[in-house]
Amino acid sequence: MFENTISVVDTDSLLSLFGPRDQNLRKIREALAVDISAHDHTIHIAGDREAVSQATEVLEQLKAHVDRSGPPSLDEVTEALTLVQAGRTPSESPPIEVLSPNRKVRPRTPGQFRYVEAIHKHDLVLGVGPAGTGKTYLAVAMAVSALKQEQIRKIVLVRPAVEAGESLGFLPGDMHAKINPYLRPLLDALAEMVDYDQLKRYMESDVIEVIPLAYMRGRTLNEAFIILDEAQNTTVSQMKMFLTRMGRGSRIVVSGDITQVDLPPHTQSGLTDALVRLRGIEGTAQVQLTNADIVRHRLVQEILRAYEGPRKGRNDAQR
């Protein structure tokens, strides 16, 4: 018999960790055949050495989840168990090798781990989830890693220049200056993974391109890693145009948040359409990220929850 313990700060965290009527606890016990109990803010785990190690890893992940974004769902417990039993956990995954020597990038949640694994194994990946889940950042990191390892010869980062409450015509400067704000998030991600001088050389030589979606028409890209960001703001025809730019040796990651569509009313999102059309096609994968995968400031989860629920009335807000 092998034993281990985990410290928990307070009773509320312990209750969130175990779930309603201890459903999370029962799930872990049944899956790993371990004995789990709690006393004086300490979780005690007993059983076979490997099972105790796996249960400890799962509980540590769920504890981090509670601290980061609140109680985990039973589906998230199941996902954590599946990854741990398969010997794959975010904390143990090797960093993604980028071109900035002092930068270490790795998935930090089970959902992010599945996303990175899908990009490793498939030529076309659709990643869907709310803001802050690392959809763009991790995709850019995987693209830079592929370039570093000479798996591809070019990176193309693409965004639709869709007006979200603002008109391009009223922005100052020429068309390049008008479009630049739409591309800024992609440039920011790149800047963290490639040294400034090297990034400048790559962009001047078109090894790395950051362009609006409209600039993709008529092109065929071979041996390229192509990322379409904010894909919920493409139309069905734009998505078809983008996906068919894929040449030999190329890989595509499409990312977006289907709850944040800025298209005109009654216009179908190319991302929601693609999720249905491409399901089950060999060589493709679809990964759904959730609020549990948000790795920005802890308030981001609370903000998203506030906008997902009913709006409080004026009197409620003043109470």
Side-chain angles (χ1 to χ4, degrees):
M1 180 73 69
F2 187 74
E3 297 184 2
N4 201 3
T5 59
I6 299 174
S7 297
V8 180
V9 176
D10 54 45
T11 303
D12 288 341
S13 295
L14 196 64
L15 292 173
S16 296
L17 182 63
F18 285 179
R21 299 180 181 179
D22 291 344
Q23 66 176 12
N24 299 344
L25 193 62
R26 289 198 303 275
K27 182 73 176 179
I28 298 168
R29 282 172 175 161
E30 292 169 5
L32 299 174
V34 292
D35 182 32
I36 305 175
S37 59
H39 183 67
D40 293 334
H41 303 300
T42 301
I43 301 173
H44 301 268
I45 311 160
D48 292 340
R49 181 182 293 270
E50 183 178 0
V52 168
S53 176
Q54 291 178 341
T56 302
E57 177 64 35
V58 171
L59 287 166
E60 290 285 9
Q61 284 188 32
L62 299 181
K63 179 184 171 186
H65 186 295
V66 170
D67 294 340
R68 186 175 65 246
S69 53
S73 68
L74 193 57
D75 286 344
E76 287 161 345
V77 175
T78 301
E79 182 178 272
L81 276 165
T82 300
L83 287 173
V84 168
Q85 287 178 296
R88 303 176 299 171
T89 65
S91 61
E92 295 173 350
S93 62
I96 302 168
E97 294 183 16
V98 296
L99 290 167
S100 184
N102 298 321
R103 189 71 184 174
K104 302 294 184 185
V105 180
R106 57 163 40 97
R108 293 169 56 185
T109 70
Q112 288 188 347
F113 185 86
R114 286 191 295 108
Y115 183 51
V116 169
E117 284 281 282
I119 296 172
H120 266 303
K121 296 176 179 179
H122 299 85
D123 290 334
L124 172 58
V125 174
L126 306 179
V128 180
T133 51
K135 303 183 301 294
T136 303
Y137 191 80
L138 289 171
V140 171
M142 293 294 287
V144 171
S145 178
L147 183 65
K148 179 178 181 179
Q149 297 173 43
E150 299 183 349
Q151 297 173 356
I152 46 109
R153 295 190 303 166
K154 185 180 185 68
I155 295 174
V156 183
L157 308 180
V158 185
R159 260 193 165 205
V162 172
E163 302 173 33
E166 297 180 6
S167 174
L168 283 173
F170 289 101
L171 293 174
D174 58 16
M175 184 53 66
H176 179 77
K178 293 174 189 290
I179 289 171
N180 187 63
Y182 290 96
L183 306 179
R184 192 77 247 168
L186 296 172
L187 291 168
D188 289 344
L190 270 175
E192 290 194 30
M193 301 176 201
V194 184
D195 291 337
Y196 175 80
D197 291 337
Q198 191 172 21
L199 178 57
K200 185 178 179 182
R201 289 194 302 272
Y202 278 155
M203 295 189 73
E204 288 174 349
S205 61
D206 279 343
V207 172
I208 295 179
E209 284 187 82
V210 185
I211 59 174
L213 177 60
Y215 287 32
M216 291 289 286
R217 192 171 298 278
R219 302 181 65 180
T220 300
L221 296 169
N222 298 317
E223 297 180 73
F225 198 120
I226 314 160
I227 299 171
L228 175 59
D229 190 35
E230 297 293 332
Q232 75 275 6
N233 289 327
T234 62
T235 64
V236 174
S237 60
Q238 285 174 331
M239 178 64 77
K240 177 184 175 183
M241 179 274 290
F242 171 78
L243 293 174
T244 53
R245 302 309 93 197
M246 189 179 195
R248 57 176 178 76
S250 288
R251 299 154 67 183
I252 286 180
V253 176
V254 175
S255 67
D257 179 359
I258 56 177
T259 68
Q260 299 290 329
V261 178
D262 297 316
L263 294 169
H266 311 299
T267 302
Q268 185 175 11
S269 166
L271 178 57
T272 56
D273 179 75
L275 288 167
V276 176
R277 289 182 187 269
L278 305 181
R279 187 177 295 135
I281 294 179
E282 187 176 354
T284 72
Q286 300 183 13
V287 179
Q288 176 70 58
L289 299 167
T290 69
N291 289 358
D293 299 302
I294 293 174
V295 292
R296 290 182 184 170
H297 193 285
R298 66 170 183 81
L299 283 177
V300 174
Q301 289 96 349
E302 299 302 323
I303 292 167
L304 286 172
R305 288 195 190 99
Y307 276 90
E308 288 168 356
R311 187 176 68 174
K312 291 183 178 180
R314 186 173 181 180
N315 292 337
D316 292 334
Q318 292 176 344
R319 286 175 186 170

